[in-house]
Amino acid sequence: MALFCGSKEVAPITPGKIADLVNVHNPFVNVSDATYQGLYIYSPDAISPECGEVRLEIYSEKDTERPTTKVLSAKTVERVWEDFQPYRAQEASR
């Protein structure tokens, strides 16, 4: 996954993935499979209204060349910015 604030890619604090394992064997089902979820942690000021366009590029392990792109709406960006305001205020007072 890649996060962009305007044209600048924002580096995650922690990039990674989590495995979801399924291993069920009984008279009705015989399944062994794994899938992965992305887990990315970003700074509280990584997304702000000053970015202009904020977009996510999400890559599949099956096709690492072509991402699925999601542009966040201005309303979503504003909401994320507002949600982290108490945290930023607390950090600024330290």
Side-chain angles (χ1 to χ4, degrees), residues 37-54:
Q37 299 177 40
L39 174 66
Y40 291 78
I41 300 172
Y42 289 91
S43 168
D45 60 354
I47 296 175
S48 79
E50 293 178 7
C51 292
E53 181 180 86
V54 175

Side-chain angles (χ1 to χ4, degrees), residues 10-89:
V10 180
I13 295 170
T14 304
K17 61 184 177 179
I18 300 169
D20 282 333
L21 305 174
V22 176
N23 195 10
V24 178
H25 302 283
N26 63 45
F28 305 104
V29 179
N30 188 16
V31 177
S32 293
D33 197 9
T35 187
Y36 295 90
Q37 299 177 40
L39 174 66
Y40 291 78
I41 300 172
Y42 289 91
S43 168
D45 60 354
I47 296 175
S48 79
E50 293 178 7
C51 292
E53 181 180 86
V54 175
R55 79 178 185 280
L56 296 169
E57 292 183 353
I58 302 168
Y59 294 86
S60 167
E61 287 189 350
K62 293 180 182 178
D63 186 359
T64 59
E65 298 298 316
R66 292 183 300 167
T68 298
T69 302
K70 170 69 176 167
V71 176
L72 301 183
S73 70
K75 183 178 178 180
T76 299
V77 171
E78 186 65 36
R79 178 63 189 261
V80 170
W81 183 250
E82 289 173 6
D83 284 351
F84 280 98
Q85 180 54 36
Y87 177 82
R88 288 191 308 275

